[in-house]
Amino acid sequence: MTVLNQQTTYDDNNIFAKMLDGDIPYHKVYEDDKTLAFMDIMPQAEGHVLVIPKQKAVDLADLEPEYAAAVLMTSKKVMQAQRQVFEREGVIQMQLNGSQAGQTVFHYHVHLIPSSIHELGRHAVTQADNNDLAAIAQKLAAVIDA
Ligand code: AMP
């Protein structure tokens, strides 16, 4: 099968790698030794968070078991915080593998979106206000730390 535009080798200059290196700013929600969670700057709903492993993985195919477990446990923390902060049960967990699936940043990441599949906004289109993202990140982080 031919897969078009598929990126299979890890690019050390991808935007999430730069975040992990501390080279570009982001709104942090949570961090531990194996994962980082931060606000998506083009959210598909208010409170859209991304969770990444501190491992150079392009997509799910590359993810090592210990990082897979860590990402899932961080996702659980974030989802529980989103439920509390946004007072809603429904949170979408989404993850795209390959450009054919719509993946645009080639460092593995899980999307956690307080929304419904019927109301989900468009993917990576509209940039959110920085102050709003900072305020939401602070609220989510406070609940996780509590
Ligand atoms: P995907 O298309 O699954 O690879 O998702 C990449 C996500 O990264 C999209 O939802 C973008 O809105 C988001 N994104 C891109 N650049 C940044 C950035 N600098 N900070 C936070 N999120 C970003």
Side-chain angles (χ1 to χ4, degrees):
M1 188 180 90
T2 306
V3 179
L4 298 175
N5 302 320
Q6 181 63 62
Q7 180 164 345
T8 52
T9 53
Y10 188 84
D11 174 7
D12 283 313
N13 288 318
N14 79 73
I15 194 131
F16 296 168
K18 287 182 178 168
M19 287 181 190
L20 287 173
D21 288 343
D23 292 339
I24 63 159
Y26 54 87
H27 299 286
K28 183 159 83 177
V29 171
Y30 176 80
E31 182 171 18
D32 59 26
D33 61 330
K34 291 195 175 58
T35 66
L36 175 68
F38 53 89
M39 302 309 298
D40 193 305
I41 47 161
M42 291 172 273
Q44 289 180 251
E46 188 184 31
H48 183 164
V49 172
L50 300 174
V51 178
I52 65 174
K54 294 181 177 178
Q55 186 218 322
K56 295 179 180 183
V58 172
D59 63 22
L60 183 58
D62 300 330
L63 199 61
E64 291 167 7
E66 63 188 295
Y67 287 93
V71 165
L72 199 60
M73 294 318 289
T74 295
S75 299
K76 183 173 166 176
K77 285 190 174 88
V78 169
M79 187 274 280
Q80 286 170 323
Q82 288 168 322
R83 281 187 164 170
Q84 207 171 316
V85 167
F86 294 103
E87 297 178 337
R88 61 170 291 131
E89 184 196 18
V91 175
I92 294 172
Q93 181 176 330
M94 178 177 86
Q95 189 262 313
L96 308 178
N97 296 288
S99 50
Q100 205 172 43
Q103 185 178 2
T104 55
V105 179
F106 295 94
H107 179 116
Y108 176 91
H109 52 280
V110 169
H111 297 259
L112 291 161
I113 314 171
S115 187
S116 140
I117 197 67
H118 309 294
E119 296 165 338
L120 198 56
R122 292 188 62 203
H123 184 63
V125 173
T126 309
Q127 189 139 350
D129 180 82
N130 251 314
N131 294 330
D132 291 346
L133 292 178
I136 295 168
Q138 211 170 33
K139 281 185 196 166
L140 292 170
V143 168
I144 293 173
D145 288 344

